Amino acid sequence: MLKRILKMKKILVAGATGKQGSATAYELLKNGFEVFALTRNPMSPEAEQLKQAGAQLVKGDLEDVEVLRDTLSKMDGLYLVLPGVWVSSIETDEAEAALGIQTLKLAEEQGVKFVLYSSVMASDKQDLFRPKFKFTIEKYLLESQLQGTVIRPASFMENLILPSFGLGEGKFVNPLPEETAISWVATKDIGTFARIIFQNHNAFNGKIIDFGGEMFTPKQVLKLLEDKLNQKIEFIQVPVEILYQQSETFAKLVEMIAKEGYDPIDYELISSWMPKLTGFDEWLDAEGVDKIKELQAAAN
């Protein structure tokens, strides 16, 4: 029992050079944690920056069972985020669920005290058409002998920089329901909240938390972008029929959002631990506008 109330000190961060992982790693480092950063390429600029900030690099990924087993045996906690898949299918969903559960079993076997798993909003609703996916991993974690918390982040503001949104070409390619407002979040806020959870893991044990900020419809995002960039942007709504041709699972997700929307976020819970989240306009002023202009310059 003593082992379960020890403070968190050594944390393995999966996906440490990605958006969520790096935000979490830097936040933990700034607050006295020993961070072990799992990365396929320790020579990458992102990995080098983590090393300079004080992280210990671990070469490998979640599929490297022996590396993971050895590393987890020394850890107090694990920040688990699975590699992103841009064209999802039943096969990729099943592979992700299997990898997540395999990782949790290793953590359980090696005596890790606490796991923070980053899932996705409405993972439980998606269970109807994605029977083996992130909700499968959530259930395994919360039904296991591990202490753990599930965080379900909203849409990342940083996703707007992805080529698929088309902002580099002066377009806003929108695959989501045009009139449905969804929550947005800056990944640095995910890192901050992750750090808070590790610092207060006993208070968060067993919880599932939807984590996000302001609600915007796609047209409201478009207006905000046009105002900040001081330019007109062409709005392109992707028909759901096209989405079905690209990814049936994503198309069904869009239909689910249009029909049911997301569950309300418990802003009172979030603000009780983290009073201020980054606003969309604040993120655009701080970094978003510059990055979009870089995309536009590269395209010209």
Side-chain angles (χ1 to χ4, degrees):
M1 190 66 185
L2 178 62
K3 188 175 182 181
R4 287 187 172 267
I5 61 173
L6 291 173
K7 283 188 69 174
M8 293 284 105
K9 185 67 177 177
K10 297 181 178 181
I11 310 294
L12 177 65
V13 177
T17 57
K19 291 185 177 70
Q20 292 186 67
S22 62
T24 299
Y26 284 118
E27 186 69 19
L28 291 172
L29 285 166
K30 287 190 296 184
N31 287 272
F33 289 86
E34 292 182 36
V35 172
F36 294 75
L38 187 64
T39 175
R40 293 185 182 91
N41 182 10
M43 305 301 291
S44 70
E46 295 83 2
E48 281 293 326
Q49 289 172 8
L50 281 169
K51 184 178 180 180
Q52 290 175 13
Q56 299 185 48
L57 304 183
V58 179
K59 186 179 187 303
D61 58 33
L62 294 175
E63 295 182 356
D64 294 327
V65 173
E66 292 309 314
V67 170
L68 205 55
R69 179 179 286 117
D70 179 65
T71 305
L72 287 172
S73 68
K74 307 178 183 76
M75 295 299 111
D76 299 316
L78 167 65
Y79 180 79
L80 178 60
V81 58
L82 280 297
V85 176
W86 301 115
V87 182
S88 55
S89 65
I90 292 175
E91 291 74 21
T92 61
D93 283 356
E94 290 180 350
E96 181 171 338
L99 183 60
I101 290 173
Q102 173 180 281
T103 304
L104 292 175
K105 286 181 176 178
L106 283 172
E108 200 170 10
E109 169 194 308
Q110 296 304 314
V112 173
K113 292 189 276 294
F114 182 84
V115 176
L116 173 54
Y117 170 51
S118 180
S119 183
V120 68
M121 290 192 78
S123 58
D124 50 344
K125 292 183 178 182
Q126 294 182 53
D127 196 49
L128 292 173
F129 55 91
R130 308 179 87 168
K132 288 186 179 179
F133 187 47
K134 294 183 186 292
F135 190 55
T136 313
I137 303 170
E138 292 181 23
K139 288 187 291 185
Y140 184 90
L141 172 59
L142 298 181
E143 292 170 3
S144 73
Q145 294 302 307
L146 291 159
Q147 287 196 359
T149 299
V150 174
I151 183 174
R152 295 173 174 170
S155 295
F156 301 165
M157 296 173 189
E158 289 82 355
N159 283 351
L160 290 174
I161 311 301
L162 295 173
S164 56
F165 273 91
L167 290 174
E169 290 74 43
K171 303 173 182 177
F172 180 37
V173 181
N174 177 58
L176 298 175
E178 187 175 341
E179 301 302 325
T180 302
I182 64 170
S183 177
W184 293 80
V185 66
T187 52
K188 71 174 185 178
D189 288 344
I190 299 174
T192 301
F193 199 57
R195 181 261 301 168
I196 290 169
I197 290 173
F198 278 115
Q199 288 176 322
N200 302 276
H201 58 97
N202 287 324
F204 283 97
N205 181 41
K207 293 185 181 296
I208 298 174
I209 302 168
D210 287 342
F211 185 72
E214 298 167 286
M215 305 284 288
F216 289 87
T217 67
K219 284 292 182 71
Q220 288 172 328
V221 174
L222 174 69
K223 177 68 165 55
L224 187 58
L225 289 168
E226 289 182 330
D227 289 346
K228 292 292 183 180
L229 290 163
N230 193 29
Q231 60 186 242
K232 290 297 292 181
I233 298 172
E234 182 184 359
F235 185 82
I236 299 175
Q237 180 66 39
V238 182
V240 72
E241 295 79 16
I242 300 298
L243 296 178
Y244 265 101
Q245 293 174 19
Q246 298 171 346
S247 168
E248 182 177 339
T249 51
F250 184 71
K252 288 182 176 179
L253 170 62
V254 169
E255 288 181 327
M256 184 214 78
I257 296 171
K259 182 179 178 181
E260 302 179 38
Y262 290 111
D263 290 336
I265 293 172
D266 189 346
Y267 292 112
E268 186 175 339
L269 170 67
I270 294 171
S271 63
S272 68
W273 291 96
M274 188 176 169
K276 186 178 185 306
L277 293 175
T278 304
F280 217 144
D281 59 343
E282 182 183 354
W283 175 80
L284 284 167
D285 288 340
E287 57 181 298
V289 167
D290 288 341
K291 290 182 178 178
I292 293 168
K293 286 182 176 178
E294 287 175 11
L295 289 176
Q296 293 176 338
N300 293 329

